[in-house]
Amino acid sequence: MGRFDGRVAVITGAARGIGFGTAERFAQEGAAVAIIDLDEAAATEAASRLEGSVPGAKAIGVGADVANADSVDAAIARVVSDLGGIHILVNNAGITRDNLLFKMTELDWDLVMGVHLKGAFLMTKAAQKHFVEQKYGKIVNISSISALGNRGQANYSAAKMGVQGFTRTLGIELGPFGINANAVAPGFIATEMTDATAARLKLDVEEFRRLSAEQNPVRRVGFPADIAAAVTFLASDEASYITGQTLYVDGGVTLG
Ligand code: NAP
């Protein structure tokens, strides 16, 4: 018996990184999984990789841009028709366009807001129709420690704090319909996103990870599995009395 037997979980930006790790964990615990990502081929490849690594797993890959309403509606319709429903939504897709404020362009701002905030809004709006009808649904949004402020990330930190406000409001509006909405705010997680930051800072990836590990009390970087563990807990029925919350999964780096 898995915690998610008979459930369908949709994870955005899941072709790699935190999203893929989370999709794997849902599949290991019995969910059928829809991997949504910008690139259809990458999403499909990730779905077959997941079916290869988790015995008995059912996964589909769907190409969609979470920042585009038509694309989102088509993706949710395909999930429901191919997997028979939708019970869990993880809004994980993300991008960075870092720069100091005076160098940040309007496009840098709009792109980041589009994927993180509008993307979470559109996906949630499309999914909640099904959640409300069936009086059951779990939403987990991925925020970040950058929500608390981070040099060079005015766009990203505003979006990630926005995700927390969005999550609290979902908790209030959707709770009466059997729907829980929570957020996870990761610290440094070793993925292609942080590898790209290392490259931008002209640092070796391992050196960048070592320096990041030194900055938190548990003295290691995080991995996608650390976030997957928190996301699956919040999406499980064990967490049905928790809603509107943001759980920081960051090795204690925000403790001060
Ligand atoms: P990642 O490795 O860069 O993966 C992000 C995925 O999202 C990519 O596959 C990307 O596809 C996809 N994506 C981007 N824009 C999209 C769109 N418009 N529609 C659908 N998919 C889209 O990132 P990650 O490190 O796993 O991060 C996952 C989430 O955690 C993000 O929300 C990020 O902000 C958050 N986070 C990460 C860290 C960290 O340290 N890694 C810390 C805090 C929070 P393409 O490759 O095609 O662009």
Side-chain angles (χ1 to χ4, degrees):
M1 265 288 282
R3 278 189 298 181
F4 304 109
D5 285 352
R7 304 285 187 223
V8 173
V10 175
I11 301 110
T12 67
R16 64 176 198 226
I18 292 171
F20 185 76
T22 301
E24 250 184 334
R25 180 75 192 258
F26 274 114
Q28 283 160 358
E29 299 201 46
V33 166
I35 289 182
I36 297 199
D37 214 287
L38 209 44
D39 179 26
E40 169 96 24
T44 307
E45 186 278 323
S48 38
R49 194 158 22 107
L50 191 151
E51 287 188 335
S53 69
V54 180
K58 169 81 183 149
I60 60 166
V62 180
D65 178 358
V66 297
N68 178 288
D70 291 342
S71 180
V72 162
D73 289 347
I76 293 290
R78 202 166 128 200
V79 170
V80 171
S81 118
D82 288 8
L83 297 178
I86 169 172
H87 307 96
I88 296 160
L89 169 66
V90 182
N91 285 308
N92 165 80
I95 58 167
T96 52
R97 291 292 182 276
D98 297 353
N99 225 327
L100 291 176
L101 183 67
F102 78 102
K103 289 194 225 164
M104 190 173 283
T105 65
E106 194 177 345
L107 183 62
D108 292 335
W109 179 270
D110 287 345
L111 285 173
V112 167
M113 290 298 156
V115 178
H116 294 277
L117 268 185
K118 187 175 171 190
F121 161 68
L122 291 174
M123 286 296 303
T124 304
K125 200 169 168 205
Q128 63 85 36
K129 282 195 279 254
H130 300 275
F131 293 167
V132 168
E133 261 172 37
Q134 69 204 12
K135 296 267 185 297
Y136 184 92
K138 305 285 180 190
I139 300 161
V140 183
N141 298 319
I142 304 300
S143 177
S144 167
I145 56 168
S146 295
L148 302 174
N150 194 27
R151 187 178 160 81
Q153 291 197 312
N155 49 1
Y156 186 79
S157 63
K160 289 306 201 184
M161 191 50 103
V163 164
Q164 296 191 21
F166 179 59
T167 303
R168 291 175 64 91
T169 303
L170 295 178
I172 294 165
E173 288 190 18
L174 301 179
F177 300 97
I179 301 163
N180 297 75
N182 290 288
V184 171
F188 186 106
I189 308 299
T191 68
E192 286 184 39
M193 184 179 271
T194 41
D195 290 354
T197 307
R200 215 168 32 251
L201 298 173
K202 300 191 179 10
L203 283 171
D204 172 67
V205 164
E206 287 310 319
E207 176 66 357
F208 187 48
R209 290 182 185 180
R210 193 184 62 73
L211 292 170
S212 300
E214 275 175 7
Q215 282 163 24
N216 70 52
V218 306
R219 298 285 193 271
R220 70 167 174 89
V221 296
F223 296 96
D226 293 306
I227 303 307
V231 170
T232 48
F233 167 64
L234 290 170
S236 76
D237 291 333
E238 292 168 286
S240 62
Y241 201 52
I242 304 174
T243 201
Q245 303 303 307
T246 297
L247 177 61
Y248 281 76
V249 181
D250 64 357
V253 74
T254 50
L255 291 174

